[in-house]
Amino acid sequence: MTSDLGLRERKKLATRVALSDAAWSLMTEHGIEAVTAEAVAAAVEVSPRTFRNYFASREEAILDGILLRANSLVEALRARPADEPVWDSFAHVLPDMIMTVLGERERDVATLVRICAENPAMSAQQLAVFGRVERLIAEVIAERTGADIEHDLAPHLLAAVPGATMRAVLTFWAGGATVATLPDLVRMSIAQLREGLPLGRAAPAT
């Protein structure tokens, strides 16, 4: 991700990542109310003004690391064979990509799910993050299928699948109702969606 960036850009990216990591750590260790511009800046040893130069809100800072890693999902889909059906591409890419998007934050998924459920601003920011990624995925799908991104609905519907799948899987997994791994849950989800959600016939995750 940084190979084509100049030194200045790499430093700015490093600061952005450090601020997001600090915001995430404060949230998981002390609760979202502990995430202030002053506290995050102090953890990274920069000024609160620097924090505000990068992020408009604490919610944006907390989820920015996930957004940055989610961009790799877009590139992974773009790298799949051009003639491969989109559902096949999802099946190849999404199961392992969920761990890439989470990074080292898998253990904090339950905390994230709970805070998003309790905090409207966090829930809105989560939707915004997935919305940005969905637009990029829709563009990839349109490129591969020859669809018109501005006038065809299909690329947008398909692009919603990764985000919706990951949100549903994370919420289900965080609830402790299964011992399946996150990648396995994604595989099962893609298979069920591809079959048209055959409710009553699909084996439950255990």
Side-chain angles (χ1 to χ4, degrees), residues 3 19 26 42 45 67 107 109-110 120 125 128 134 139 141 147 193:
S3 58
L19 288 166
L26 284 167
E45 299 184 340
L67 175 60
R107 66 185 183 275
V109 165
Q125 184 61 34
E134 284 176 13
E139 291 174 358
I141 293 171
L193 287 168

Side-chain angles (χ1 to χ4, degrees), residues 6-41:
L7 177 60
R8 177 180 173 83
E9 287 73 21
R10 289 199 299 272
K11 287 183 176 180
K12 289 176 65 176
L13 178 59
T15 300
R16 176 178 170 180
V17 170
L19 288 166
S20 181
D21 287 347
W24 181 277
S25 295
L26 284 167
M27 178 194 72
T28 57
E29 294 171 11
H30 305 291
I32 193 168
E33 296 306 322
V35 185
T36 64
E38 291 73 19
V40 175

Side-chain angles (χ1 to χ4, degrees), residues 68-139:
L68 285 175
R69 285 189 292 275
N71 289 327
S72 62
L73 165 60
V74 179
E75 295 308 315
L77 288 172
R78 180 172 279 118
R80 296 300 303 173
D83 59 348
E84 182 177 69
V86 173
W87 282 106
D88 287 350
S89 296
F90 285 165
H92 278 100
V93 169
L94 293 183
D96 293 330
M97 191 54 61
I98 192 170
M99 302 308 297
T100 298
V101 171
L102 289 175
E104 298 178 356
R105 299 175 179 182
E106 178 187 359
R107 66 185 183 275
D108 300 323
V109 165
T111 300
L112 175 63
V113 169
R114 175 179 57 79
I115 289 177
C116 284
E118 297 173 350
N119 188 292
M122 271 292 288
S123 180
Q125 184 61 34
Q126 183 189 48
L127 290 174
V129 165
F130 281 108
R132 293 179 203 173
V133 177
E134 284 176 13
R135 172 67 189 193
L136 295 175
I137 293 174
E139 291 174 358

Side-chain angles (χ1 to χ4, degrees), residues 133-181:
V133 177
E134 284 176 13
R135 172 67 189 193
L136 295 175
I137 293 174
E139 291 174 358
V140 172
I141 293 171
E143 291 169 5
R144 291 177 48 173
T145 61
D148 184 337
I149 189 67
E150 301 302 333
H151 298 95
D152 293 340
L153 180 59
H156 299 279
L157 290 173
L158 281 170
V161 169
T165 297
M166 289 190 180
R167 288 196 300 274
V169 162
L170 290 176
T171 301
F172 183 73
W173 186 82
T178 179
V179 296
T181 66

